[in-house]
């Protein structure tokens, strides 16, 4: 599939025709039990992640991310926790970006219980990650762009750090999707996703994906088999169906987010826009090098306080005030009340997550309609 571009890969990789009747969509194998063959061969079983319906969607994700192998699991957290537990052991140390998704941050206490140490790095600069490496460091874990301030980490520099120090590099690639960013191309070892976001894309599916190379894939699959974080046949089918339109959806989300970010950056009631697609964003040059689109997520600080921002949100008609992201419909939320609710207000404000910060997940609506909606909400 490597000869084909993303739009084509979304449709044609992984899935296959139903040979029995000639149907053009991948058949769904619902059986949890398969006839045993005494002459050998693979034992098929859902929790072994080897049913054709599971493999079809995993192969599609591997093709999209330019990985060699992929594992489809029951949630984004299942993808992340399984990867970290599979690749780290008691006595190991990991360097972890401080800005990771709140659920991932929460999971770190589990690592401590397993005797795995970690250091947090509050920076996007790879030199700061390097400075945190110890003799027993085995792995570096990060996101780019980050939530909610869309900070950008240099993938090439991170992969180089991994290579020179003998560390595994693991990224949560949820925000970018394989359409906008393919970290394995830069030498990153593992890309994990919350498929609940852009991959599913319709806010009606909970799943996760890990894409990597075969040796690490086998290790992660072994842990996944033990943990049993399996995704059912119908969900696998729905994810595969959603992935057929991933490139189309993400392209429109890129266009919409850029148009909205530009509109808001010039608006007198807006203090600051965080979006790597804007030329004066600190992450712009790095994002331009390593991303083929800047993504559908951006954040905006409204001039005023939480009540001012709340009144803007209340006037919006096309944006639902809701958590999560990546669906076809536009959403808006307050990071101070959601992902960073547990952080003391003073600390939050210091890193830019003020009470008047709004995070937007752009859908696939017409950008002019979204701009008009934001315009009326800000003018109100
Ligand atoms: N990674 C990121 C960046 C997320 O935003 C989320 C969920 O919001 C997750 C991982 C966890 O995904 P899930 O809810 O599918 O477990």
């Amino acid at each position: 599939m490597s000869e084909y571009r993303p739009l084509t890969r979304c449709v044609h990789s992984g899935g296959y025709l139903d040979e029995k009747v000639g149907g053009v969509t991948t058949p769904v194998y619902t059986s949890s039990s398969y006839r045993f063959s005494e002459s050998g061969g693979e034992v098929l079983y859902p929790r072994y992640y080897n049913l054709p319906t599971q493999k079809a969607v995993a192969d599609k994700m591997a093709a999209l991310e330019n990985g060699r192998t992929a594992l489809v699991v029951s949630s984004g957290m299942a993808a992340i926790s399984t990867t970290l537990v599979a690749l780290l052991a008691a006595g190991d140390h990991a360097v972890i970006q401080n800005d990771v998704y709140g659920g991932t941050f929460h999971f770190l206490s589990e690592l401590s219980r397993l005797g795995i140490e970690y250091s947090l790095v509050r920076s996007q600069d790879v030199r700061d990650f390097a400075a945190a490496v110890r003799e027993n460091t085995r792995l570096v874990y990060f996101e780019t762009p980050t939530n909610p301030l869309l900070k950008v980490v240099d993938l090439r520099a991170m992969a180089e750090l991994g290579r020179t120090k003998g560390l595994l590099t693991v990224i949560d690639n949820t925000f970018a999707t394989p359409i906008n960013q393919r970290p394995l191309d830069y030498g990153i070892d593992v890309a994990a996703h919350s498929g609940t976001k852009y991959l599913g894309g319709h806010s009606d599916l909970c799943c996760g994906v890990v894409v990597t190379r075969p040796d690490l894939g086998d290790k992660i699959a072994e842990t996944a088999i033990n943990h049993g974080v399996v995704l059912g046949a119908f969900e696998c089918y729905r994810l595969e169906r959603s992935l057929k339109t991933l490139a189309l959806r993400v392209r429109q989300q890129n266009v919409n987010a850029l148009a909205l970010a530009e509109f808001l950056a010039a608006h007198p009631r807006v203090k600051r826009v965080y979006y790597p697609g804007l030329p004066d964003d600190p992450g712009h040059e790095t994002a331009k090098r390593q991303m083929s689109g800047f993504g559908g997520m951006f954040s905006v600080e409204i001039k005023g306080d939480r009540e001012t921002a709340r009144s803007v949100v209340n006037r919006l008609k096309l944006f639902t005030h809701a958590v999560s992201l990546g669906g076809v419909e536009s959403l808006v939320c307050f990071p101070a009340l959601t992902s960073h609710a547990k952080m003391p207000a003073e600390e939050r404000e210091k890193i830019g997550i003020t009470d008047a910060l709004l995070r937007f997940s752009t859908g696939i609506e017409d950008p002019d309609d979204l701009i008009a909606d934001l315009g009326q909400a800000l003018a109100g």
Side-chain angles (χ1 to χ4, degrees):
M1 272 290 147
S2 57
E3 70 273 35
Y4 295 119
R5 293 172 180 80
L7 279 166
T8 313
R9 286 192 205 186
C10 279
V11 177
H12 289 286
S13 59
Y16 55 91
L17 298 188
D18 177 354
E19 292 297 345
K20 199 163 177 193
V21 292
V24 297
T25 60
T26 310
V28 183
Y29 288 87
T30 56
S31 199
S32 59
S33 186
Y34 293 82
R35 196 184 301 129
F36 188 76
S37 161
E38 292 211 27
S39 56
E42 197 178 15
V43 174
L44 296 182
Y45 189 61
R47 192 170 47 75
Y48 296 166
Y49 305 85
N50 59 2
L51 303 188
T53 314
Q54 294 169 318
K55 284 175 131 178
V57 64
D59 288 351
K60 194 184 278 294
M61 270 305 294
L64 290 175
E65 192 94 62
N66 280 342
R68 300 272 303 285
T69 178
L71 188 72
V72 173
V73 292
S74 55
S75 68
M77 280 315 302
I80 293 161
S81 59
T82 304
T83 299
L84 292 176
V85 170
L87 301 183
L88 290 164
D92 288 348
H93 171 259
V95 176
I96 298 186
Q97 188 186 35
N98 190 74
D99 288 21
V100 289
Y101 165 64
T104 307
F105 199 83
H106 203 246
F107 171 71
L108 299 180
S109 61
E110 303 261 352
L111 289 186
S112 303
R113 286 201 302 114
L114 295 172
I116 298 160
E117 299 177 303
Y118 60 88
S119 303
L120 294 172
V121 176
R122 178 163 285 167
S123 164
Q124 278 49 250
D125 191 327
V126 174
R127 286 170 297 189
D128 293 325
F129 284 80
V133 172
R134 300 183 191 165
E135 211 175 297
N136 60 337
T137 306
R138 298 280 170 265
L139 182 147
V140 181
Y141 181 94
F142 66 107
E143 297 176 12
T144 181
T146 62
N147 178 33
L149 297 177
L150 288 303
K151 294 179 197 157
V152 178
V153 178
D154 188 326
L155 289 174
R156 207 181 292 279
M158 194 62 103
E160 180 65 19
L161 171 68
R163 251 191 319 273
T164 53
K165 304 255 184 197
L167 314 172
L168 293 171
T169 44
V170 180
I171 183 177
D172 177 340
N173 202 30
T174 300
F175 266 37
T177 83
I179 303 306
N180 284 334
Q181 180 169 277
R182 287 164 296 281
L184 273 56
D185 288 356
Y186 294 86
I188 300 296
D189 296 301
V190 183
H193 289 269
S194 167
T196 316
K197 318 299 175 189
Y198 288 96
L199 306 183
H202 297 73
S203 308
D204 60 0
L205 188 55
C206 182
C207 57
V209 185
V210 183
V211 189
T212 185
R213 51 172 206 259
D215 58 326
L216 295 178
D218 287 348
K219 242 178 148 177
I220 295 166
E222 208 179 299
T223 302
I225 288 169
N226 288 333
H227 288 192
V229 285
V230 68
L231 191 70
F234 290 114
E235 272 76 17
C236 285
Y237 171 71
R238 283 164 63 213
L239 178 60
E240 199 231 317
R241 187 170 77 160
S242 291
L243 288 174
K244 289 178 186 175
T245 57
L246 179 68
L248 272 180
R249 287 185 276 110
V250 169
R251 282 180 180 195
Q252 188 61 39
Q253 283 160 319
N254 290 340
V255 167
N256 287 2
L258 184 59
L260 293 179
E262 283 171 347
F263 168 75
L264 290 164
H267 199 285
R269 294 197 61 192
V270 167
K271 194 163 167 192
R272 180 162 176 190
V273 179
Y274 296 87
Y275 186 60
L278 294 176
D280 57 355
D281 187 274
H284 181 66
E285 287 309 318
T286 309
K288 214 163 66 175
R289 256 198 329 270
Q290 66 192 25
M291 300 181 81
S292 37
F294 298 109
M297 303 299 300
F298 64 88
S299 291
V300 177
E301 192 179 350
I302 303 291
K303 282 183 188 161
D305 56 14
R306 180 175 293 166
E307 286 317 308
T308 324
R310 183 172 280 137
S311 66
V312 173
V313 169
N314 288 343
R315 280 191 291 272
L316 285 167
K317 294 177 184 143
L318 293 176
F319 297 79
T320 304
H321 181 187
V323 295
S324 202
L325 59 118
V328 294
E329 61 286 303
S330 290
L331 305 179
V332 59
C333 71
F334 287 87
L337 295 180
T338 53
S339 57
H340 290 71
K342 288 194 187 130
M343 194 182 266
E346 217 171 80
E347 206 179 322
R348 263 199 291 104
E349 299 267 340
K350 229 189 279 171
I351 60 171
I353 303 175
T354 66
D355 283 350
L357 186 80
L358 298 176
R359 190 197 74 179
F360 287 84
S361 167
T362 322
I364 61 166
E365 303 93 336
D366 189 291
D368 290 340
D369 290 335
L370 295 177
I371 287 174
D373 193 29
L374 273 170
Q376 66 77 23
L378 284 164

